[in-house]
């Protein structure tokens, strides 16, 4: 079983739609969680951290369910510019440095 | 803003060559990382460093080595390049402590012929 699993998609949604991605992780000792966004042929960029109580940043909402070991990202009112690959990222602290494990990403395509 | 700079955006080398990929960060971060990214496999950690002259193997260290002589610079070395090392290489840095996100450079697309 992969440490971090995501549905690769693609998710094709019309502009204005609400879309949700889930991600599951296998290490119950994982301590912190992030969503990164990666545009085609570009580097990953931090979208948002995921907090235990859930958190929101504008149109984006992230939630964590430790009991079921999954993380979600909800995007409301999708824009064309949201088209990208969204990477679920889990932090396992090695004691010497934070080691991130990346999912393979979920591709989102927002259309007119 | 954190700035992570990789020395080359595109690089073409031949099988058997020794290849150096350089990465510099300007935020005085303790931790630096090298990944490769391949279609369908996502980002995989090659090596990381949590301090000057310190290094630890990641998930796929075979065929690679690293050097961290100064805090701001982390080099990835392919001792004898092979075609299966053709990939996108990404450097990242993060401040010390748990739960810190990583910040990435633009990436180096390396082709080994």
């Amino acid at each position: 079983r992969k440490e971090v699993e995501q549905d690769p998609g693609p998710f094709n949604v019309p502009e204005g739609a609400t879309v949700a991605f889930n991600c599951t992780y296998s290490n119950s000792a994982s301590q912190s969680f992030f969503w990164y966004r990666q545009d085609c042929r570009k580097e990953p960029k931090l979208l948002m951290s995921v907090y235990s109580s859930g958190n929101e940043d504008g149109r984006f909402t992230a939630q964590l369910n430790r009991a079921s070991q999954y993380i979600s990202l909800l995007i409301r009112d999708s824009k064309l510019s949201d088209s990208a690959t969204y990477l679920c990222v889990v932090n396992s602290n090695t004691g010497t440095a934070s080691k991130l494990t990346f999912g393979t990403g979920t591709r989102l395509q927002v259309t007119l | 803003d954190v700035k992570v700079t990789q020395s080359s955006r595109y690089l073409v080398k031949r099988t058997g060559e020794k290849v150096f990929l350089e990465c510099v960060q300007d935020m005085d971060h303790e931790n630096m990382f090298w990944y490769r990214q391949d279609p369908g496999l996502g980002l995989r950690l090659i090596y990381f460093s949590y301090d000057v002259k310190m290094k630890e193997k990641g998930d796929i260290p075979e065929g690679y080595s690293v050097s961290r002589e100064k805090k701001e610079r982390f080099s990835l070395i392919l001792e004898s390049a092979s075609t299966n090392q053709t990939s996108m290489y990404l450097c990242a840095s993060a401040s010390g402590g748990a739960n810190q996100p990583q910040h990435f450079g633009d990436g180096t697309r390396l082709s080994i012929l």
Side-chain angles (χ1 to χ4, degrees):
Chain A
R1 183 186 171 187
K2 288 183 182 176
E3 285 189 60
V4 179
E5 292 205 63
Q6 297 181 250
D7 181 341
F11 284 58
N12 295 301
V13 302
E15 226 181 350
T18 295
V19 62
F21 309 134
N22 285 334
C23 162
T24 58
Y25 61 95
S26 60
N27 184 353
S28 59
S30 298
Q31 299 181 342
S32 56
F33 309 89
F34 307 94
W35 283 101
Y36 277 70
R37 171 198 168 123
Q38 186 171 25
D39 293 290
C40 189
R41 304 181 81 82
K42 297 281 185 112
E43 77 277 18
K45 291 186 177 177
L46 179 66
L47 179 66
M48 58 196 303
S49 301
V50 185
Y51 302 122
S52 297
S53 53
N55 49 298
E56 191 173 302
D57 182 1
R59 297 182 293 108
F60 298 84
T61 300
Q63 296 212 308
L64 167 64
N65 184 320
R66 284 192 185 271
S68 302
Q69 294 181 208
Y70 79 80
I71 307 147
S72 64
L73 177 67
L74 182 79
I75 305 175
R76 288 181 300 279
D77 189 23
S78 299
K79 312 288 185 195
L80 292 174
S81 57
D82 293 335
S83 299
T85 296
Y86 291 84
L87 305 174
C88 173
V89 185
V90 173
N91 183 337
S92 304
N93 194 346
T94 68
T96 50
S98 289
K99 183 185 169 194
L100 298 185
T101 301
F102 288 77
T104 52
T106 297
R107 195 154 67 88
L108 171 66
Q109 183 66 51
V110 181
T111 56
L112 287 170
Chain B
D1 262 4
V2 177
K3 185 67 177 173
V4 180
T5 303
Q6 293 184 229
S7 53
S8 304
R9 193 82 173 92
Y10 299 94
L11 205 54
V12 180
K13 295 291 182 181
R14 296 203 174 275
T15 304
E17 279 193 72
K18 191 168 186 175
V19 181
F20 293 85
L21 302 183
E22 306 285 349
C23 175
V24 177
Q25 49 94 4
D26 66 356
M27 286 302 292
D28 202 36
H29 283 167
E30 288 83 357
N31 302 318
M32 296 188 75
F33 307 82
W34 274 106
Y35 296 86
R36 63 178 283 176
Q37 186 174 28
D38 301 286
L41 297 176
L43 274 84
R44 293 180 291 167
L45 182 64
I46 303 170
Y47 267 97
F48 65 100
S49 168
Y50 53 90
D51 202 353
V52 176
K53 296 193 185 296
M54 306 303 285
K55 61 185 179 184
E56 285 200 25
K57 293 180 180 179
D59 299 317
I60 51 162
E62 297 79 18
Y64 302 94
S65 62
V66 289
S67 171
R68 184 124 182 247
E69 295 297 317
K70 293 185 178 181
K71 192 174 186 179
E72 68 270 19
R73 186 180 296 270
F74 191 36
S75 304
L76 179 70
I77 303 151
L78 286 65
E79 296 289 345
S80 177
S82 62
T83 53
N84 63 10
Q85 293 178 308
T86 292
S87 186
M88 168 70 100
Y89 289 87
L90 288 155
C91 174
S93 74
S95 58
N99 309 324
Q100 298 301 313
Q102 294 177 13
H103 303 273
F104 285 84
D106 290 344
T108 296
R109 193 165 289 279
L110 175 65
S111 296
I112 307 295
L113 304 179

